[in-house]
Amino acid sequence: MADGKDFLHFIDGRFVASAGGGRFENRSPVDGSLIGHVAEGGGAEVDAAVAAARAALRGPWGGMPVARRVELLYAVADEINRRFDDFLAAEVADTGKPVSLASHIDIPRGAANFKIFADVIKNVPAETFEMATPDGGQALNYSIRVPRGVVAVVCPWNLPLLLMTWKVGPALACGNAVVVKPSEETPGTATLLGEVMNKVGIPKGVYNVVHGFGPGAAGEFLTAHPGVNAITFTGETRTGTAIMKAAAGGVRPVSFELGGKNAGIVFADADFEAAVDGISRAAFANCGQVCLGTERVYVERPIFEKFVGALKARAEGMRPGLPQDQATGIGPLISQEHRAKVLSYYEQARADGATVVTGGGVPQMPPALTGGSWVQPTIWTGLPESSAVIREEIFGPCCHIAPFDSEDEAVQRANDTPYGLCTTVWTSNLSRAHRIAGRIEVGLCWINSWFLRDLRTPFGGSKQSGIGREGGVHSLEFYTELRNVCVKYA
Ligand code: NAD
């Protein structure tokens, strides 16, 4: 994988340093210690990776029968599971997230993403149409799905393996070759996956990784590269805007999973404990660094005070600590830079007149961990809806709770955002649940649940939270081209 703890690019089946030897530091979010160095890719590495991917499409990968591709993707999943502890260690080192979380979600889903899309591609139905031809004969139309070609996969740091394989799995299942640009914060598991690809016999050049930064660097070079046929991206809406401009050159398709400012809505008739549990996870899981997280909570007035008290108790019960410690309830943020951003919103909330129900700062940590990116889980009430804290994505362990008096008001306030990723609604009134699902402007609407994911279902956001849907057969729309074949016969 790497040279000691150095993270190299994976290009054409080989681990390589940058041509000019450029590299940058990778530091632990837990204590700020040096994990290792990451090769810093630029134009030369992107060129080499795109060329390797193109060559793979012309080589054995391009002509490989679907059944063989499926076998190989199953083998990738099995190998990730066999090396579960290595992936877990790499993910935890990069992110600082609790082992209990990464072992439950990140790594198993990383493996599952290869299996599910192998199954999907095995079972693609084809459509056929018979037609009469003007000369009295007949023709049969049928459509086949062909790969897009070289797909650029640009990834964030919050769920590195899970979100990367969510793209790489279907891309490879559909017969594409990929160039992955992992987040500069989390190089580990993408690099490790290169070892897996070689071990199971994925042809060289099918999976490539170029490390580095975004603007004016590897990310931008990759998304602007004329040899890239399609771009799939998960990250901030602002970055999506820049990538969309790059994609316009060459008129390349994009699939975007972007930011959110998701609302949770809790009615007085909800199962109270279940709602507190669900909103607590939605606000604080992964230290609030989940695109599907809830930073705006609307609670029906009769239970407002009780709900605020119950969520406060949850927040205060989450112990920050080492990832390996079973008692750890919350990890650090990804970096000092991100912590500065989150803390600036904590300040903003105070300036805008919030009542700080709990948190609002940095927790007391033992001396060995004070170099980490820790923040307190935080709850506010009393902010005006115009506050930046309510309007902008913070991506930290925090939420604002406001009371509401009617279903209409709750829906209107939930929809009052440029984002439209998801919502979580808690009620025992089934009619109301269906009504809200029809009116809420999001790609994903959870009722009495949150983050329940069936990988066959469409996933994505509306408004500024994304373009397109992936998941199950929906991923085929992006990772393949449909080609119609018309055969005339007498
Ligand atoms: P980010 O947009 O800062 O970076 C994501 C990736 O894009 C990184 O690899 C980065 O190097 C690269 N990049 C940055 N600028 C670029 C440019 N100009 N051209 C090409 N590549 C560029 O996002 P992040 O901070 O890593 O992740 C957090 C964000 O991701 C949040 O906004 C979160 O909501 C979002 N997210 C969304 C989903 C979803 O499914 N909708 C899932 C996870 C995260």
Side-chain angles (χ1 to χ4, degrees):
M1 143 192 186
D3 172 22
K5 276 191 173 174
D6 282 358
F7 302 91
L8 301 178
H9 310 295
F10 183 69
I11 299 174
D12 207 18
R14 291 186 312 124
F15 290 97
V16 292
S18 289
R23 58 182 202 162
F24 58 95
E25 287 183 346
N26 181 23
R27 290 199 170 267
S28 164
V30 170
D31 58 8
S33 62
L34 188 69
I35 297 173
H37 289 90
V38 188
E40 184 175 350
E45 288 71 34
V46 169
D47 281 348
V50 172
R54 181 67 55 204
L57 292 168
R58 293 200 194 100
W61 184 247
M64 190 178 283
V66 172
R68 177 65 187 140
R69 279 208 311 261
V70 165
E71 277 173 14
L72 283 174
L73 294 183
Y74 264 74
V76 171
D78 291 344
E79 184 64 10
I80 293 173
N81 283 327
R82 200 185 65 76
R83 295 193 59 186
F84 193 95
D85 290 347
D86 295 338
F87 276 93
L88 185 61
E91 203 74 310
V92 167
D94 275 348
T95 60
K97 64 177 76 187
V99 165
S100 55
L101 183 69
S103 61
H104 187 59
I105 296 192
D106 299 64
I107 313 305
R109 266 287 302 279
N113 282 336
F114 286 97
K115 281 215 163 100
I116 179 104
F117 290 107
D119 288 339
V120 167
I121 202 70
K122 252 186 343 197
N123 296 303
V124 179
E127 59 180 21
T128 60
F129 293 101
E130 260 189 4
M131 66 182 282
T133 58
D135 62 0
Q138 290 191 79
L140 179 69
N141 290 278
Y142 65 94
S143 50
I144 55 174
R145 288 194 176 272
V146 296
R148 293 264 186 198
V150 178
V151 177
V153 182
V154 183
C155 307
W157 43 256
N158 59 329
L159 299 156
L161 180 71
L162 185 159
L163 290 171
M164 178 196 52
T165 53
W166 172 244
K167 310 287 199 176
V168 171
L172 298 196
C174 292
N176 301 282
V178 296
V179 180
V180 175
K181 213 298 278 169
S183 168
E184 50 274 36
E185 306 284 359
T186 51
T189 46
T191 312
L192 206 47
L193 192 58
E195 290 183 15
V196 168
M197 296 290 175
N198 278 351
K199 172 83 190 295
V200 306
I202 296 278
K204 62 186 183 140
V206 170
Y207 172 80
N208 304 277
V209 177
V210 177
H211 292 296
F213 297 93
E220 188 177 323
F221 297 146
L222 177 61
T223 51
H225 199 289
V228 165
N229 301 107
I231 302 164
T232 182
F233 167 71
T234 306
E236 282 191 26
T237 297
R238 202 180 31 177
T239 311
T241 308
I243 291 179
M244 204 164 176
K245 286 182 185 154
V251 199
R252 278 94 43 83
V254 296
S255 174
F256 282 172
E257 288 166 14
L258 307 177
K261 190 71 182 178
N262 312 304
I265 305 176
V266 183
F267 286 90
D269 63 13
D271 176 333
F272 186 81
E273 287 306 322
V276 170
D277 189 55
I279 296 290
S280 166
R281 286 188 301 117
F284 306 127
N286 208 36
C287 201
Q289 303 164 120
V290 182
C291 56
L292 306 165
T294 297
E295 292 179 355
R296 299 183 296 143
V297 185
Y298 300 100
V299 178
E300 205 168 11
R301 198 174 298 275
I303 60 163
F304 176 74
E305 296 296 341
K306 185 178 165 200
F307 188 90
V308 171
L311 203 68
K312 175 178 189 284
R314 291 300 187 102
E316 291 174 355
M318 273 184 299
R319 222 187 78 182
L322 287 170
Q324 295 75 10
D325 188 341
Q326 282 299 320
T328 295
I330 188 164
L333 293 169
I334 190 70
S335 64
Q336 293 291 342
E337 188 188 358
H338 188 51
R339 178 166 82 159
K341 176 185 158 185
V342 171
L343 289 176
S344 76
Y345 282 102
Y346 284 16
E347 281 309 307
Q348 184 70 47
R350 280 198 187 85
D352 289 350
T355 299
V356 182
V357 175
T358 186
V362 173
Q364 276 274 326
M365 299 302 289
L369 301 185
T370 50
S373 310
W374 306 95
V375 291
Q376 289 175 317
T378 294
I379 299 172
W380 305 285
T381 57
L383 279 171
E385 293 280 306
S386 58
S387 167
V389 175
I390 307 268
R391 307 225 47 94
E392 298 170 11
E393 183 185 49
I394 301 171
F395 225 52
C398 53
C399 66
H400 177 261
I401 315 182
F404 69 85
D405 294 301
S406 72
E407 183 182 318
D408 270 354
E409 181 196 347
V411 171
Q412 182 271 321
R413 289 170 78 176
N415 282 342
D416 183 17
T417 167
Y419 294 106
L421 187 52
C422 73
T423 195
T424 168
V425 181
W426 297 82
T427 177
S428 56
N429 181 332
L430 196 56
S431 298
R432 168 189 282 150
H434 285 300
R435 270 197 309 271
I436 292 182
R439 295 178 62 199
I440 203 90
E441 297 163 356
V442 292
L444 305 150
C445 179
W446 276 291
I447 307 289
N448 296 329
S449 57
W450 177 74
F451 211 143
L452 259 188
R453 289 280 294 118
D454 181 325
L455 303 185
R456 296 167 299 184
T457 59
F459 181 92
S462 51
K463 293 161 61 175
Q464 290 183 25
S465 288
I467 296 179
R469 296 292 181 272
E470 295 195 32
V473 294
H474 309 284
S475 294
L476 303 183
E477 297 302 322
F478 180 71
Y479 293 103
T480 62
E481 293 272 9
L482 261 183
R483 178 179 298 153
N484 189 65
V485 181
C486 179
V487 184
K488 183 172 183 300
Y489 59 104

